[in-house]
Amino acid sequence: MRKHTFTSESVTEGHPDKVCDQISDAILDAILEKDSRSRVACETVTNTGLVLVTGEISTSSYVDIPAVVRSVLTDIGYNNPEYGIDGKHAAVITAIEEQSPDIALGVDKAFEFKDGTMTDSEIEHLGAGDQGMMFGFACDETPELMPLPISLAHALSKRLAEVRKKGIVPYLRPDGKTQVTVEYEDDRPVRVDTIVISTQHDPDATNAQIREDMIEHVVKAVIPAHLLDEKTKYYINPTGRFVLGGPAVDSGLTGRKIIVDTYGGYAKHGGGAFSGKDPTKVDRSGAYAARYIAKNIVAAGLARKCEVEIAYAIGMANPISVYVDTFGTGTEDEQKIERAVIESIDLRPGAIIRDFDLRKPIYRNLAAYGHMGREELGLKFEERDLAAKILSRL
C-alpha cells in the first residue's frame, strides 16, 4: 500500500490578490451587462489606500469604474479606514485604452475565414484572442469531481469569510489563507493530515481564542468528520499575530492566484489568468471548455481522473491540438476518447462562448473560491450533459 500526501491552498476574498481579481471581474460584469460584445482585458493593482485599474477595453457602454471598485471593497469588508484601505476613502486611478486593432483583426474574423466564406453565424468564427494552451482536470475524489485538497481548502476559506460577515466570529478581518494536506493510500484520499489557517484579526483577539474558534466554527463546520482524527495537525496563525493585513501590507495584482483558481496544483496549468478577461480570451473560455470535457469523461465512467489540454493560435478559430490523459485509470484507449471528444464538441471560441453563455455577467462570483467545481452557481461548463454524447461515439 503506497502512501503519499498532497497539499493545496486557498485564500479568502479579502486577500489582496483576490481583491484585485474581484474588482477586475466586477468591472467585466458591469460592462457585459450593458454591451455583451465588449472586449475587456482589465487588470487591477492595489496597495495601501490605492486601487489602479488599467488594461484594454473596447465597448459601446459606459461604466463608472470607481463606483464598481468602491462597491467591491465595501462588499468584501474593507469598510474601515483602520484596515488601510476602504471603499469610501480609497484613491481610484484608471488608465484604460482600447484593444489593439491588430488583435481585433484576428478575433473578429478567424484566419480560416479570411477568404470571405462564412457558412455559419459570425460568432462561430471568432478567432482566438491569444495563443496558448489551456488545461482542464477532473477526478472522482469529490461529488463535484474536483481534487479533495483544493475542495477542502476552498471550503475553509469560504467559511472563514462567512463567520466573519455573519458575526459568528466578530473579531475577524477580511484577509486570510487556508491550506489542507490530504493523505492518500493507493491514490485514494483517506484522511486530512494537516490544516493551516491564517486569518486577520482585531488586536485584542488572543491566539488561544482564535485557535478554539477556528477549529470549532470553521474546521468542524466544513471538513467531514471521518477525515479528521487524533493525528490531524492544526496550525492556526502560526506567526502568532495577524492584525495588519490586506492591501495595506501586501500589494495585490489581478491574476496572481491562478493555481488557487483552478486545481490547487493537482493538475497542470497553462499559465494564463482568468479574471478581467472577456470570453474571447481563450485563457479563460478554453480553460472552462477543458474542464467541461475532463469532467464529462470522468462522469461517463471512462476514467477516475482525467486531464485535457487544448491549444490555440491567435486569430484562428479551430484549436491546433486536443490531448486527453487518463493517468492509467481509463477504461478505453485515450486516442479513442480524444476522437470521441473532438466529434462531440465544437471548440471554436465563438462556439464555446455560445454554448456556455459566457457573454453573461457571471464572473464576479467566480473570482473568489475557485472557478472550477462551482456547481452551486449553475454554470454550463460544470454540467455533465456531454458524457452520453462521448460514450455514443466510442
Side-chain angles (χ1 to χ4, degrees):
M1 183 178 294
R2 180 180 181 272
K3 292 186 178 183
H4 75 276
T5 57
F6 192 88
T7 303
S8 293
E9 72 159 351
S10 179
V11 299
T12 67
E13 60 204 61
H15 184 280
D17 294 329
K18 275 289 140 208
V19 170
C20 293
D21 286 342
Q22 290 167 91
I23 290 172
S24 291
D25 272 339
I27 292 169
L28 172 62
D29 281 351
I31 292 172
L32 290 178
E33 193 165 16
K34 294 183 176 182
D35 177 8
S36 64
R37 300 303 177 91
S38 299
R39 302 282 168 76
V40 181
C42 179
E43 309 288 341
T44 303
V45 183
T46 184
N47 207 323
T48 305
L50 172 68
V51 177
L52 167 64
V53 179
T54 186
E56 298 78 46
I57 299 175
S58 297
T59 182
S60 63
S61 67
Y62 170 77
V63 168
D64 186 344
I65 290 177
V68 174
V69 171
R70 298 184 190 285
S71 175
V72 172
L73 287 173
T74 302
D75 180 59
I76 290 169
Y78 285 111
N79 50 20
N80 186 336
E82 186 180 340
Y83 297 167
I85 192 170
D86 68 279
K88 185 176 181 180
H89 300 97
V92 180
I93 301 173
T94 60
I96 305 295
E97 298 178 357
E98 290 187 341
Q99 182 186 61
S100 162
D102 293 345
I103 294 175
L105 281 173
V107 178
D108 293 336
K109 184 179 287 188
F111 173 84
E112 295 96 319
F113 304 99
K114 288 192 182 297
D115 61 359
T117 58
M118 300 289 280
T119 56
D120 296 313
S121 64
E122 184 178 2
I123 189 173
E124 291 186 88
H125 298 292
L126 289 172
D130 202 354
Q131 70 176 46
M133 64 284 189
M134 298 84 219
F135 289 92
F137 181 81
C139 63
D140 64 358
E141 293 179 10
T142 63
E144 67 274 20
L145 304 184
M146 286 287 287
L148 184 61
I150 189 64
S151 181
L152 295 179
H154 282 322
L156 289 173
S157 289
K158 197 170 184 180
R159 177 63 178 173
L160 199 54
E162 182 181 32
V163 298
R164 170 177 60 86
K165 289 183 171 183
K166 289 184 175 180
I168 298 171
V169 185
Y171 56 78
L172 295 183
R173 293 183 176 184
D175 198 358
K177 302 178 80 170
T178 65
Q179 187 171 286
V180 177
T181 300
V182 174
E183 182 179 303
Y184 289 76
E185 291 181 358
D186 288 340
D187 209 32
R188 292 287 192 180
V190 294
R191 59 181 292 273
V192 170
D193 181 78
T194 306
I195 293 173
V196 182
I197 298 177
S198 295
T199 182
Q200 189 184 11
H201 57 86
D202 289 344
D204 54 354
T206 66
N207 291 337
Q209 180 185 15
I210 295 169
R211 179 182 176 85
E212 180 181 348
D213 286 342
M214 291 302 98
I215 294 175
E216 182 63 29
H217 297 296
V218 178
V219 174
K220 291 182 179 180
V222 298
I223 305 295
H226 72 274
L227 293 174
L228 302 172
D229 57 32
E230 69 281 356
K231 294 183 179 179
T232 300
K233 298 179 286 291
Y234 301 93
Y235 299 108
I236 312 297
N237 280 12
T239 66
R241 184 175 171 85
F242 189 180
V243 174
L244 301 175
V249 298
D250 185 10
S251 61
L253 179 65
T254 297
R256 209 156 51 180
K257 285 290 176 284
I258 58 176
I259 301 304
V260 171
D261 285 341
T262 52
Y263 308 101
Y266 200 101
K268 297 185 186 72
H269 195 294
F274 301 154
S275 291
K277 296 179 180 178
D278 77 81
T280 66
K281 280 74 171 174
V282 286
D283 281 341
R284 174 166 233 159
S285 52
Y288 293 165
R291 160 65 179 170
Y292 176 67
I293 294 168
K295 184 173 185 176
N296 276 270
I297 288 172
V298 174
L302 293 170
R304 286 197 302 106
K305 60 173 64 176
C306 179
E307 187 175 77
V308 173
E309 184 199 43
I310 308 172
Y312 291 90
I314 188 169
M316 295 187 67
N318 293 294
I320 58 175
S321 72
V322 177
Y323 172 66
V324 173
D325 186 357
T326 60
F327 305 95
T329 70
T331 60
E332 295 280 353
D333 178 75
E334 287 171 347
Q335 287 187 320
K336 288 179 63 178
I337 297 175
E338 282 176 15
R339 286 195 296 269
V341 165
I342 292 169
E343 292 171 2
S344 300
I345 183 171
D346 189 342
L347 290 173
R348 293 175 294 176
I352 294 172
I353 292 168
R354 176 199 63 201
D355 294 342
F356 297 155
D357 282 343
L358 295 182
R359 292 196 185 276
K360 292 183 177 180
I362 60 173
Y363 298 105
R364 164 74 195 280
N365 286 334
L366 291 169
Y369 314 117
H371 290 246
M372 313 304 179
R374 302 290 299 279
E375 293 186 340
E376 76 278 10
L377 297 178
L379 302 163
K380 290 197 173 185
F381 62 83
E382 285 293 333
E383 293 180 357
R384 307 178 189 213
D385 54 341
L386 188 68
K389 191 178 291 186
I390 293 173
L391 287 170
S392 72
R393 285 165 168 75
L394 288 172

